[in-house]
Amino acid sequence: MLITRVFVPFALGYFLSYLVRVVNAVIAPDLVMELGLTAADLGLLTSANFLAFAAAQLPLGILLDRFGPRRTEASLLLFAAAGAFLFATAKTLPGLIIGRALIGFGTSACLMAAFKAYIMWMPGKRIPLINGLQMTAGGLGAVTGTVPVEWALSVTDWRGLFISFGWTAAILSLILYLVVPQRIGTDSITCTLRDQIGGIVQIYTSPIFWRIAPFTIASQSMFLGTQSLWSGPWLSDVAGLERDIVASYLLLIAIAMVGGFLGMGAIADRLGKKNIKTIDVSVVGMSIFTIIQLPIILQWTDWALPIWMAFGFFGTAGILSYAALPQYFPPQMAGRVITGLNVFTFGCAFAAQWGMGIIISLWSSSGVPGSYSPASYQAAFAMMFVIQIIGLAWFLLFRRAKV
């Protein structure tokens, strides 16, 4: 069946990608204790995944449109495997950063390759829904990166976890290459490199791109940078929760995120039948996501769980832009469109995650290694809130392109 040969392998790849992305939120105390990391060190280490991810996006778009998603992702996952093995054996911060960066580079195709494959194989009107299902697979990876990881740490340590991640990436590479079908004419070289680069120029000079991109980038930077690292420390340092409770909260937040991926995709699919554009659904969802951050900034700790679950649910709204934006460009440019957006999203997620760590480090710690003042989180989150408000204002005021 097509769903088995196309959707399942790419969904498994994204499951692993999200799992290794968020796992540091749980193992952060172990990294801090073993290596003596500061908040800035932890932010840089974790965000190295995003930096390498972002750096790969433009060449990735060319590779996806030129060689197809099957060969591209299968090849890159081998780098993820090497990065996981290096991370598991590294003894110093630079070694961990290099390993983390290789993981980011190796998993850089796990979402974009899937989006490209679905554009190739699935009916156009169902793309928002199938993309939502793909994101749900990632959400399940995020769920696995919480309490299940905490349980696994009672059997092995964080190094053992990354050894298992490395072998999983290698096996998934083989599955993708052998199972996903090759589509003649779209999974092979079809145009020159010059044409491919010209397409990138066309995307980056398009007013429609620059109307949609800023708010999407701001929203996703906050969501990715926080959900994959700073949500756990916030729950510990601001809400005062014990480590096992933090893991339980992160599990529920991840479950809410899965609900968001499913819900947002289904909502966009249903409203699309009523001629309501996917980008409009995305902007409304991202606006709600921004508003939800206010009680987090104000540190309403009595309502921490429902607020953070809402954060997880509505933080997924920005992904709808990845289904909406390619609709304004020729189908053969889809890989470059989504990776063209992704290079900014993950580049800014790197800056956001590391920048928040730098801000948090500016305040004196509470005296407990790896713990920081609640005021530091307030300042870091407020900075990201302002950036998102600016992105929303840009979308509403930029009128050179209609959506």
Side-chain angles (χ1 to χ4, degrees), residues 265-336:
I267 290 169
D269 185 62
R270 180 177 293 271
L271 292 180
K273 297 175 183 177
K274 299 181 180 180
N275 296 319
I276 296 176
K277 297 179 179 178
T278 300
I279 190 59
D280 294 330
V281 180
S282 180
V283 169
V284 171
M286 288 188 292
S287 300
I288 296 173
F289 173 66
T290 303
I291 294 171
I292 287 168
Q293 294 163 42
L294 279 174
I296 297 176
I297 295 169
L298 296 175
Q299 299 183 349
W300 293 3
T301 55
D302 289 343
W303 296 86
L305 181 57
I307 291 169
W308 276 99
M309 289 184 69
F311 180 96
F313 184 91
F314 286 101
T316 63
I319 203 65
L320 292 176
S321 297
Y322 287 83
L325 191 57
Q327 297 173 10
Y328 300 97
F329 295 88
Q332 66 270 21
M333 293 176 60
R336 282 161 289 171

Side-chain angles (χ1 to χ4, degrees), residues 7 16 28 33 48-49 56 67 132 137 151 158 189 198 200-201 227 232 256 258 297 341 347 361 391:
F7 174 75
L16 177 65
M33 291 297 294
N49 180 289
F67 296 105
W151 290 341
W158 61 271
I189 298 175
I200 295 175
V201 174
Q227 188 265 342
V258 173
I297 295 169
L341 177 59
S361 292

